[in-house]
Amino acid sequence: MEKVLSTPISEDDVRALRVGDVFYVSGRMFTARDAAHKAMLDKGAPFSVEGLPVFHCGPVVRKSGDGWDLLAGGPTTSARMESLEGDFLRKFRSRVIVGKGGMGDKTLAALSEVGAVYTHFTGGAGALAAQAVREVETVYWLEELGVPEALWVLRVEHFGPLVVTMDSHGRSLHAELAAQVAENMKRAKAEILSD
Amino acid sequence: MEHLTAALAEALGRAATVLPADVVRALETVRDRERGPARVQVEAILENVAVARDGAIPICQDTGTVTYFVRFGERFPLMAELRGGLEEAARRATEEVPLRPNTVHPLTGANPGDNTGVHIPAVTWEPMEGDEAEVHVLPKGGGSENCSALMMLTPASGLNGVLEAVADHVVSREGKPCPPTVIGVGIGGGADVALKLGKKALLRPVGSRHPEPEVAQFEDKLERLINASGVGPMGLGGQSTVLASHVEYAHRHPASYPVGVVVQCWADRRAAVRIGPDGSITIVE
């Protein structure tokens, strides 16, 4: 059975999620990359984002009448937001991060503290993501930050698959894999380099 | 030369929206081999590729830095038209496809919004015999480009030292460049030549091998070594971290062993057109 979470997503919802779980989101979410994270930390959120997934994404958009169409919008590399994400979660209680590549120890600690998860959306799958976007509701800071860095507010339906790779119980698939990979490489070098 | 500009803009659009058949085949092979979260990732990739192709929309929201490799015949008569066309095509494709405006002034942060700027589109000119020209388009995403590297190794480290350094580097980037990736490696020359060769190596179709057996063997070993890491699709674990590694080389200074590593995400987007001396256009890729 596919799990679908509707926004706003509660602390109980995310505390129930574990590394390896797959789910989809329906409701409202917003994009924020480094510049929008910084702007929100400096100036505050332009609307209430508690329980709304923060999507690390700089989309391709096209003007359509008074509004916008989102044509492609996959995740960007989350590591760039590592220095900002902990404070961001504490201040805005976004509950779900959507990105790719995973994040570090500071974010992992904040996930436990605040009650939030890091989820992985397939990198580069911008067309697939756009299919789940029903409407671009509004955009903030477009002038100052430009298209990729602006804060786009999206209404989505069945957005995913999102794989939980860092949960609110201190587990990080990224950290666990890194240890396994180091072991694998030691073995592979002994075998392949001596060919 | 309106139709020349139009053909180049079309090539940029094709590259952004249609993944080359060799890459799709390689991804299908990977999907069949993987299980669990890794397979979920590759299935999503292939579904995404189909959605983009059918809807003529960009495969990835990062439509990249417009990068051209141009081989031009010594007697190709339309150089002026071609030079102007390359930049104009970037503007037009930005509008029409559309492409994400991806050119930022590195000091002021200003974005002209049309994918052009100082030294961008990036063009590498390479003369050849004859009276035709061939334009290869390689839109290069930022996430994978950030995982590229230059290593100035010591000659004493030998070929195994190169293998180990490149594999360690690629593996250390984990899921960041959107694996399964294609790795372009340039060995020798100098710092700049090694990196340029690494990027040029990405123009080769996935599944091709270097014609020289020593180089082909190096490519094979590098792929096996990186894939043994278990990083897997999107860095979520699995057997397939690279789709291919392509190696090119230049002779090196006796004291230097430069190695340029250029990483390309699974969205290994390419297109190419051949231009005849009369301006006629043939789609090559």
Side-chain angles (χ1 to χ4, degrees), chain A residues 110-168:
Chain A
L111 295 177
S112 291
E113 187 188 320
V114 173
V117 290
Y118 177 87
T119 66
H120 202 282
F121 184 78
T122 308
L128 190 63
Q131 258 201 331
V133 175
R134 291 285 163 271
E135 188 192 353
V136 175
E137 290 188 351
T138 186
V139 56
Y140 295 98
W141 300 324
L142 179 59
E143 287 269 295
E144 305 95 292
L145 304 182
V147 166
E149 299 286 345
L151 193 160
W152 297 89
V153 184
L154 313 173
R155 190 165 60 78
V156 299
E157 206 176 300
H158 207 255
F159 184 97
L162 302 176
V163 183
V164 177
T165 57
M166 296 165 68
D167 64 22
S168 63

Side-chain angles (χ1 to χ4, degrees), chain B residues 39-93:
Chain B
R39 192 176 174 120
V40 173
Q41 299 303 309
V42 187
E43 280 169 349
I45 286 172
L46 287 165
E47 192 186 342
N48 178 75
V49 168
V51 169
R53 184 197 55 217
D54 296 346
I57 53 176
I59 294 165
C60 177
Q61 74 290 339
D62 183 355
T63 49
T65 295
V66 177
T67 306
Y68 297 109
F69 284 81
V70 184
R71 302 183 69 209
F72 60 98
E74 286 152 350
R75 297 188 312 282
F76 178 67
L78 305 171
M79 282 302 281
E81 291 84 349
L82 179 55
R83 285 183 62 185
L86 293 174
E87 186 166 319
E88 188 49 34
R91 282 198 193 94
R92 196 174 296 185

Side-chain angles (χ1 to χ4, degrees), chain B:
Chain B
M1 266 304 170
E2 159 56 27
H3 83 285
L4 185 53
T5 304
L8 292 168
E10 196 191 312
L12 289 172
R14 195 164 61 246
T17 58
V18 184
L19 201 62
D22 53 280
V23 185
V24 174
R25 268 196 306 275
L27 286 165
E28 285 168 347
T29 306
V30 162
R31 174 199 55 201
D32 295 343
R33 190 161 60 205
E34 295 287 356
R35 286 194 296 276
R39 192 176 174 120
V40 173
Q41 299 303 309
V42 187
E43 280 169 349
I45 286 172
L46 287 165
E47 192 186 342
N48 178 75
V49 168
V51 169
R53 184 197 55 217
D54 296 346
I57 53 176
I59 294 165
C60 177
Q61 74 290 339
D62 183 355
T63 49
T65 295
V66 177
T67 306
Y68 297 109
F69 284 81
V70 184
R71 302 183 69 209
F72 60 98
E74 286 152 350
R75 297 188 312 282
F76 178 67
L78 305 171
M79 282 302 281
E81 291 84 349
L82 179 55
R83 285 183 62 185
L86 293 174
E87 186 166 319
E88 188 49 34
R91 282 198 193 94
R92 196 174 296 185
T94 303
E95 192 74 22
E96 287 174 358
V97 178
L99 306 177
R100 193 174 72 182
N102 268 349
T103 48
V104 180
H105 190 293
L107 282 82
T108 66
N111 187 334
D114 62 1
N115 276 305
T116 70
V118 176
H119 293 308
I120 300 289
V123 190
T124 303
W125 296 94
E126 202 176 286
M128 63 177 184
E129 283 179 9
D131 57 6
E132 298 186 318
E134 209 171 89
V135 180
H136 292 261
V137 171
L138 184 78
K140 190 68 179 58
S144 63
E145 186 73 355
N146 287 348
C147 295
S148 299
L150 172 71
M151 303 168 197
M152 301 303 285
L153 304 179
T154 50
S157 62
L159 211 47
N160 267 355
V162 179
L163 269 174
E164 195 173 354
V166 175
D168 280 343
H169 172 73
V170 172
V171 169
S172 76
R173 302 292 88 196
E174 300 170 338
K176 291 182 185 69
C178 285
T181 52
V182 179
I183 309 296
V185 183
I187 307 177
D192 56 337
V193 174
L195 276 170
K196 182 68 84 181
L197 286 174
K199 189 159 277 186
K200 197 182 159 194
L202 297 177
L203 298 178
R204 275 167 47 192
V206 170
S208 66
R209 277 280 176 251
H210 195 281
E212 295 173 39
E214 297 84 357
V215 186
Q217 197 191 14
F218 182 95
E219 292 175 345
D220 174 66
K221 275 194 179 184
L222 184 59
E223 285 167 21
R224 283 194 287 139
L225 192 54
I226 297 173
N227 282 336
S229 68
V231 167
M234 291 299 147
L236 300 187
Q239 306 169 51
S240 316
T241 308
V242 292
L243 296 174
S245 80
H246 297 160
V247 177
E248 299 293 334
Y249 71 87
H251 281 68
R252 62 172 175 83
H253 185 280
S256 304
Y257 214 145
V259 179
V261 183
V262 183
V263 182
Q264 173 69 307
C265 58
W266 64 257
D268 179 19
R269 292 157 286 180
R270 312 182 312 259
V273 292
R274 188 176 302 126
I275 307 160
D278 56 351
S280 60
I281 306 284
T282 316
I283 293 174
V284 180
E285 183 172 53

